[in-house]
Amino acid sequence: MADVAGHLAGISLFRGLLRAQYEELSRIGVKRSFRKGERIFSEGDEGTGFYVVCGGRVKIFKVSTEGKEQILHLCGPGESFGEVSVFTGQGFPADAVAALPSTVLFFPRVAFSSLIRQDPALALNMMAQLSKRLRQFAGLIEDLSLKEVPGRLAKYLLYLSGRDGDETVDLDVSKGQLAALLGTIPETLSRILAKLNRLGLICSRGAQIRILDRRGLEEIGLEGKRLP
Amino acid sequence: MADVAGHLAGISLFRGLLRAQYEELSRIGVKRSFRKGERIFSEGDEGTGFYVVCGGRVKIFKVSTEGKEQILHLCGPGESFGEVSVFTGQGFPADAVAALPSTVLFFPRVAFSSLIRQDPALALNMMAQLSKRLRQFAGLIEDLSLKEVPGRLAKYLLYLSGRDGDETVDLDVSKGQLAALLGTIPETLSRILAKLNRLGLICSRGAQIRILDRRGLEEIGLEGKRLP
DNA sequence: CGGAAGATTGATCAGTTTCAAGCTCCGTGG
DNA sequence: CCACGGAGCTTGAAACTGATCAATCTTCCG
């Protein structure tokens, strides 16, 4: 129990709450662990509650009938997923699988729902979180429909390097997974990485990528581009 | 003012509220009208509040640097947009333009925010609405990345006919707008409609489309398809 | 009636996927 | 310790989808 409470403070969904509220939450939260590749839920499963990532990484994705997958989001520690089911009561809208060995907190729908009813502040935090997610999705839709793959990759690399502030970034997922995140396939990703290397924009060695020409990468995302 | 209150009951965001709450809302809601094509806000504008459509239709979209637009959502009467700004306080994440002559209610951020603070039920309704939107976006992302244009069109036609229950559907937007909604351009849409006609799946005359082979349309969305 | 915006059709082309074949890395078992 | 084997990654050639450019046709208002 105390263990659960220890995690709560780092969760954006619950930021700024009072001690009493944390105690309430820790009373209903259940810790669960998943091995790498283990499924947390499938699309259409009844939404009995929502999850928060404590450690590891969870992949949220959709699969087409032919097996192609589009990653909607990679959730790291402190991020939540499955909240939508709390309010719609419908099944989960996507699949969730542990991309790394992961531990999560599970909050049952019914218990959390009544908690929210007593506590407006909790609801406000949650709305801000949902709004943030909505904004991210709008960005993803924009990227998928307006930009081509090189632009999406460039944007992602800049995002990673911006976060770490460094010139050398580490892909925290396999290239196959990165391809799915960018809405493409491993072959295409591989070719584009090779092209960016050839142009001297980056220097990639496995999962390590050094950014050589930041300006150049930014341009790819903007204009109608041609990579020679 | 009474005029404002009259609209509130039909708004899903505010469903199930008490009379007193409607009165509160009508006190802070402001009615605004827009001509067809008139801009309501632009991406990046400060989010001073959110909107609810009373009449007409509002197009929410993103534009690339080259001018190509991707419609995120077409809001009809009773639907809300711009809510995200209430909680994030950041600028709007997309553009909004009246696709038809439209009237909307505007709810200023500050006033609504304090209203929500006193009223948990209002917050719960709003969360359900945000969740619903989130679910729609997940569907849109899936469509854009997993399906090809014929599949997206087929799904949209089935959606329209399912809603009206009828075999003959009316496109409620111009073909150019429909193309943007499907993430493509008018030429491509035109070709695919012609192809569906040729195959005997539909019979289109202008904005009127009669569905001849429901099963056939469904198949297009599912399998790796080839339209001869 | 005229004209402009929207819609269709054709030809061409770039980007991406598909299919197929090597390659590299790394863990496992002999 | 080294060889084997497999998964993931890379590369090549061909096919395909959708975008672009350009021209024509339709529609629908003023």
Side-chain angles (χ1 to χ4, degrees), chain A residues 112-125:
Chain A
F112 188 76
S113 200
S114 71
L115 199 56
I116 262 189
R117 232 169 283 273
Q118 325 161 359
D119 195 340
L122 191 51
L124 283 176
N125 264 34

Side-chain angles (χ1 to χ4, degrees), chain A residues 9 21 31 38 45-46 59 66 81 87 89 92 112 117 120 128 131 158 163 173 184 199 210 224:
Chain A
Q21 297 172 317
K31 200 167 182 176
E38 197 173 355
D45 282 1
E46 192 193 352
K59 175 175 73 172
E66 297 110 41
F81 60 96
F87 303 104
F92 290 113
F112 188 76
R117 232 169 283 273
S131 299
L158 291 169
R163 198 173 53 174
V173 291
T184 185
L199 292 173
R210 195 172 36 202

Side-chain angles (χ1 to χ4, degrees), chain A residues 197-227:
Chain A
N197 270 297
R198 209 175 314 131
L199 292 173
L201 297 178
I202 64 173
C203 173
S204 75
R205 237 172 32 266
Q208 297 263 337
I209 296 181
R210 195 172 36 202
I211 292 177
L212 302 177
D213 183 354
R214 207 178 197 82
R215 187 70 49 85
L217 282 181
E218 283 159 2
E219 278 172 14
I220 292 176
L222 294 179
E223 312 166 27
K225 262 300 14 104
R226 184 134 329 160
L227 297 182

Side-chain angles (χ1 to χ4, degrees), chain A residues 174-188:
Chain A
S174 78
K175 298 219 174 140
Q177 297 289 290
L178 176 57
L181 184 63
L182 297 176
T184 185
I185 56 176
E187 292 97 317
T188 299

Side-chain angles (χ1 to χ4, degrees), chain B residues 90-166:
Chain B
Q90 304 169 46
F92 290 113
D95 298 84
V97 161
L100 300 176
S102 303
T103 61
V104 304
L105 283 177
F106 175 72
F107 293 91
R109 191 172 72 81
V110 182
F112 187 77
S113 198
S114 70
L115 200 56
I116 262 190
R117 233 169 283 273
Q118 325 162 357
D119 194 340
L122 189 52
L124 284 176
N125 265 35
M126 197 136 185
M127 272 192 278
Q129 188 71 8
L130 287 174
S131 299
K132 212 173 106 191
R133 185 69 50 87
L134 216 34
R135 197 174 275 268
Q136 283 174 0
F137 272 20
L140 180 55
I141 291 171
E142 180 184 16
D143 289 349
L144 285 175
S145 58
L146 264 29
K147 291 202 187 80
E148 289 150 3
V149 182
R152 306 205 285 271
L153 173 59
K155 183 179 167 191
Y156 186 72
L157 290 178
L158 291 170
Y159 158 73
L160 282 184
S161 86
R163 198 173 53 174
D164 304 347
D166 212 354

